[in-house]
């Protein structure tokens, strides 16, 4: 008899369970197996159709954790025993013994190409390309999209907040304070993604330990309310926290709180490092705090702003109201991707048994065949992307186009031609990480290095694409041969 242990949650990544999937992935696998098609090969690719947050780019994130799950992928006895218990509405078993015996001995046999974490990507481009036995390709879909969709959203949100915090040329730290508001137990993946996107520290101690990133924090209103008065609370905290004397000054009255912070430092003889303001008119109180500290002879006090920050409020504080904050701490609207809570990345069949496949639907027509991204670089900046056939091995000579390449622009200008001349600097983005189920290129796991990768990518993206409102749309097109294939398949399926 199986038991349900409600006191623990299984580590899905470490145990590699293939049950990290939707039920229909397994019912389809059983049907392919029964029909003798399980070993027929296909290629499916993951991409997204629209950039989040009204922006024009996405930071790809989550690869290392997806690879960790792949590396441990296997059906163990407990998985098989559980599948035996799933029943149909009529009470019969959903999975038969022959199929379950087949699953128990299987090894992963897929091949995977993907962009590295921290890479800037754009709509309709292949971010992952997975090929192999049809049932296994489909069986990795849910894990891939679950990790990619959620972490890429948070990384992109963090990058926008970090960008807003430095719009005036002053680099201000962005802290992730979202543990209590996150929608995942432990907030691990959100914290990880926020760091990749540009956050410099986290309040989440477990995640800080796990990912070896800085733990940051100040104090809560509850500490102050445990004392008879605010001044005593500040003095007690400062005595116990030398080197981390950042006080929360808005529990009762913000102006009095600032005065009490000044007096606490004077009466204890302990240097006050900063204050955090978590309510009210942040611009007004930031300016008032700076004035009061300057008048008190404390011009170096750091001001930290929190309270439901997003990139738009940060931009307003920095660029419009010139609020003198030194640090921004974001919680709810960062870790929940508040204004775009779902990316909508999809995983679509691109070829079956070597034959290109296409889905034709209004607004959702796919690009046939296995593909890759060719990124054009001019004057140290990303100039545009071309989606090419994955087997186009002669399009580059080193880091330059080996021939003139014609591209047909996707989107509202679909069909517009652009020609990139031979010798133009370019690079292919997708890298092979898995061959026949084995990790052959282990993805980077150090989130600080991944943050650096994202920073380098964003530096090569012109500011017109990073505007928080009405950004310029980055150009993505189809290589002429791939465009012709797509159009011919559309005509063939529609009988034109």
């Amino acid at each position: 008899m199986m038991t349900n242990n409600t006191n623990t949650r299984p580590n899905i990544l470490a145990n590699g369970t293939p049950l990290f999937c939707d039920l229909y992935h397994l019912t389809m696998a059983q049907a392919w197996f029964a029909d003798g098609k399980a070993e027929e090969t296909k290629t499916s690719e993951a991409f997204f159709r629209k950039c989040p947050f009204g922006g024009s780019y996405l930071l790809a994130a989550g690869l290392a954790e997806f690879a960790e799950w792949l590396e441990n992928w296997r059906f163990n006895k407990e998985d098989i025993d559980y599948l035996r218990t799933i029943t149909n509405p009529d009470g019969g078993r959903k999975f038969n013994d022959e199929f379950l015996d087949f699953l128990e001995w299987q090894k992963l046999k897929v091949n995977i190409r993907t962009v590295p974490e921290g890479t800037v990507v754009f709509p309709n481009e292949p971010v992952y390309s997975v090929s192999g036995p049809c049932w296994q390709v489909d069986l990795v879909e849910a894990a891939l999209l679950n990790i990619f969709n959620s972490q890429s959203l948070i990384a992109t949100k963090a990058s926008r907040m970090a960008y807003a915090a430095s719009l005036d040329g002053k680099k201000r730290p962005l802290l992730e304070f979202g543990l209590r508001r996150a929608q995942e137990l432990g907030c691990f993946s959100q914290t990880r993604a926020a760091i990749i996107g540009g956050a410099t520290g986290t309040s989440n101690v477990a995640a800080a330990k796990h990912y070896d990133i800085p733990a940051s924090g100040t104090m809560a209103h509850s500490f102050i309310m445990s004392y008879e008065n605010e001044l005593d609370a500040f003095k007690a905290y400062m005595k116990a926290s030398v080197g981390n004397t950042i006080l929360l000054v808005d529990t009762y009255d913000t102006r009095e709180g600032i005065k009490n912070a000044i007096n606490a430092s004077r009466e204890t003889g302990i240097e006050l490092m900063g204050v955090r303001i978590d309510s009210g008119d942040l611009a007004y109180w930031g300016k008032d705090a700076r004035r009061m500290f300057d008048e008190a002879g404390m011009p170096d006090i750091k001001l930290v702003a929190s309270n439901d920050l997003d990139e738009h409020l940060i931009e307003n504080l920095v660029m419009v109201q010139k609020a003198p904050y030194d640090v921004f701490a974001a919680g709810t609207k960062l870790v929940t991707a508040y204004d775009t809570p779902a990316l909508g990345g999809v995983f679509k069949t691109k070829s079956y048994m070597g034959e290109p496949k296409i889905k034709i639907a209004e607004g959702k027509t796919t690009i046939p065949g296995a593909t890759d991204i060719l990124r054009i670089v001019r004057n140290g900046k990303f100039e545009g992307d071309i989606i090419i056939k994955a087997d186009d091995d002669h399009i580059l000579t080193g880091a330059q186009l080996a021939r003139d390449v014609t591209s047909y622009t996707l989107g509202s200008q679909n069909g517009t031609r652009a020609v990139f001349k031979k010798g133009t600097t370019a690079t292919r983005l997708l890298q092979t990480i898995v061959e026949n189920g084995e990790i052959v290129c282990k993805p980077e796991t150090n989130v600080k290095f991944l943050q650096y990768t994202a920073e380098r990518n964003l530096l090569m993206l012109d500011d017109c694409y990073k505007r928080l409102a009405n950004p310029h749309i980055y150009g993505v097109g189809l290589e002429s041969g791939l465009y012709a294939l797509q159009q011919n398949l559309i005509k063939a399926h529609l009988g034109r």
Side-chain angles (χ1 to χ4, degrees):
M1 180 177 176
M2 298 185 66
T3 60
N4 180 23
N5 186 345
T6 59
N7 297 317
T8 61
R9 189 179 72 143
N11 186 333
I12 290 173
L13 299 179
N15 69 27
T17 174
L19 302 189
F20 191 176
C21 69
D22 291 308
L23 183 61
Y24 72 9
H25 291 118
L26 288 164
T27 58
M28 291 190 299
Q30 180 169 249
W32 275 320
F33 172 74
D35 203 30
K37 292 171 65 71
E39 296 304 313
E40 292 184 352
T41 58
K42 69 180 294 189
T43 296
S44 292
E45 292 182 347
F47 59 94
F48 63 100
R49 296 190 176 99
K50 183 180 179 181
C51 289
F53 315 118
S56 72
Y57 71 88
L58 182 81
L59 270 182
L63 172 60
E65 298 204 330
F66 177 55
E68 181 183 351
W69 175 72
L70 289 169
E71 195 167 26
N72 298 298
W73 191 96
R74 74 191 189 287
F75 283 95
N76 59 35
K77 185 177 183 303
E78 290 75 18
D79 292 334
I80 300 299
D81 287 345
Y82 169 70
L83 293 177
R84 293 185 198 280
T85 70
I86 301 178
T87 58
N88 292 315
D90 65 1
R93 282 175 48 191
K94 192 169 290 290
F95 301 108
N96 61 55
D97 287 336
E98 187 178 9
F99 173 63
L100 295 179
D101 288 343
F102 164 77
L103 291 183
E104 192 165 8
W105 297 101
Q106 288 296 321
K107 293 183 178 180
L108 192 63
K109 292 180 279 190
V110 299
N111 306 298
I112 299 178
R113 296 177 298 116
T114 183
V115 299
E117 279 194 88
T119 300
V120 174
V121 289
F122 303 94
N124 299 302
E125 296 182 338
V127 182
Y128 285 84
S129 185
V130 185
S131 61
C134 59
W135 71 277
Q136 289 195 355
V137 170
D138 272 24
L139 208 58
V140 304
E141 173 188 6
L144 188 163
L145 290 179
N146 176 260
I147 295 170
F148 165 73
N149 278 333
S150 59
Q151 293 201 32
S152 299
L153 265 182
I154 306 303
T156 305
K157 189 69 168 176
S159 75
R160 289 166 59 84
M161 290 188 181
Y163 174 74
S166 303
L167 274 171
D168 63 350
K170 179 181 177 181
K171 192 169 180 62
R172 299 172 179 84
L174 173 71
L175 304 177
E176 179 271 303
F177 275 15
L179 172 60
R180 291 167 297 156
R181 307 295 172 80
Q183 295 159 337
E184 178 203 42
L185 180 63
C187 192
F188 281 83
S189 64
Q190 290 95 332
T191 296
R192 178 184 189 276
I195 296 295
I196 292 172
T200 56
T202 179
S203 65
N204 186 343
V205 179
K209 174 178 179 288
H210 183 74
Y211 295 117
D212 188 26
I213 54 181
S216 301
T218 55
M219 64 193 310
H221 298 292
S222 63
F223 181 83
I224 296 164
M225 295 168 71
S226 68
Y227 287 80
E228 286 298 316
N229 61 72
E230 189 175 55
L231 179 60
D232 287 345
F234 284 170
K235 290 193 291 186
Y237 189 85
M238 292 183 76
K239 290 174 183 176
S241 305
V242 176
N244 185 39
T245 53
I246 300 177
L247 305 177
L248 181 61
V249 295
D250 65 324
T251 301
Y252 304 117
D253 178 278
T254 303
R255 186 170 286 109
E256 290 302 312
I258 297 167
K259 291 179 182 178
N260 283 329
I262 294 169
N263 289 332
S265 178
R266 288 172 173 168
E267 292 181 21
T268 60
I270 298 170
E271 181 184 3
L272 176 65
M273 298 177 64
V275 298
R276 177 163 68 97
I277 302 174
D278 187 51
S279 61
D281 186 329
L282 293 179
Y284 175 86
W285 288 117
K287 292 175 182 178
D288 210 42
R290 179 62 69 209
R291 176 189 60 79
M292 293 172 70
F293 285 124
D294 287 347
E295 291 175 355
M298 299 179 174
D300 297 325
I301 299 297
K302 299 295 183 183
L303 303 184
V304 182
S306 53
N307 188 33
D308 278 345
L309 297 179
D310 65 8
E311 64 268 42
H312 302 290
L313 178 52
I314 293 172
E315 179 186 40
N316 183 271
L317 289 169
V318 170
M319 299 301 291
V320 178
Q321 303 195 69
K322 309 295 183 183
Y325 286 102
D326 303 287
V327 180
F328 291 104
T332 302
K333 292 186 177 180
L334 172 55
V335 301
T336 65
Y338 194 81
D339 46 337
T340 308
L343 175 61
V346 295
F347 191 70
K348 299 298 181 183
T349 298
K350 304 298 293 295
S351 71
Y352 197 91
M353 294 297 284
E355 292 296 318
K357 297 290 183 179
I358 189 169
K359 174 184 176 181
I360 304 172
E362 186 174 350
K364 294 185 177 181
T365 300
T366 60
I367 300 165
T371 60
D372 202 340
I373 307 168
L374 193 66
R375 179 153 291 170
I376 306 297
V377 180
R378 285 180 178 160
N379 301 318
K381 296 287 187 180
F382 298 148
E383 179 73 14
D385 289 359
I386 307 170
I387 302 174
I388 63 174
K389 294 178 181 179
D391 60 3
D392 193 344
D393 296 327
H394 305 293
I395 199 166
L396 290 179
T397 299
Q400 295 181 331
L401 295 182
R403 64 176 191 267
D404 291 355
V405 176
T406 300
S407 172
Y408 289 80
T409 305
L410 291 171
S412 60
Q413 296 179 333
N414 194 29
T416 302
R417 289 182 4 144
V419 178
F420 298 90
K421 295 295 185 179
K422 177 181 178 180
T424 300
T425 301
T427 184
R428 295 175 74 133
L429 294 192
L430 270 67
Q431 301 176 3
T432 299
I433 64 159
V434 176
E435 288 183 350
N436 196 30
E438 298 291 330
I439 305 289
V440 295
C441 181
K442 194 171 182 64
E444 178 61 56
T445 59
N446 186 307
V447 293
K448 289 175 283 190
F449 183 85
L450 293 172
Q451 183 185 78
Y452 173 76
T453 300
E455 286 178 354
R456 296 302 303 169
N457 264 255
L458 289 167
L459 281 173
M460 294 182 72
L461 189 66
D462 191 271
D463 282 348
C464 68
Y465 303 114
K466 292 181 282 191
R467 290 196 301 257
L468 301 182
N470 302 312
H472 197 64
I473 302 302
Y474 187 86
V476 178
L478 291 182
E479 186 274 330
S480 57
L482 183 56
Y483 177 75
L485 173 63
Q486 182 195 49
Q487 298 306 305
N488 289 337
L489 286 175
I490 291 172
K491 291 176 183 176
H493 282 287
L494 297 180
R496 294 176 181 171

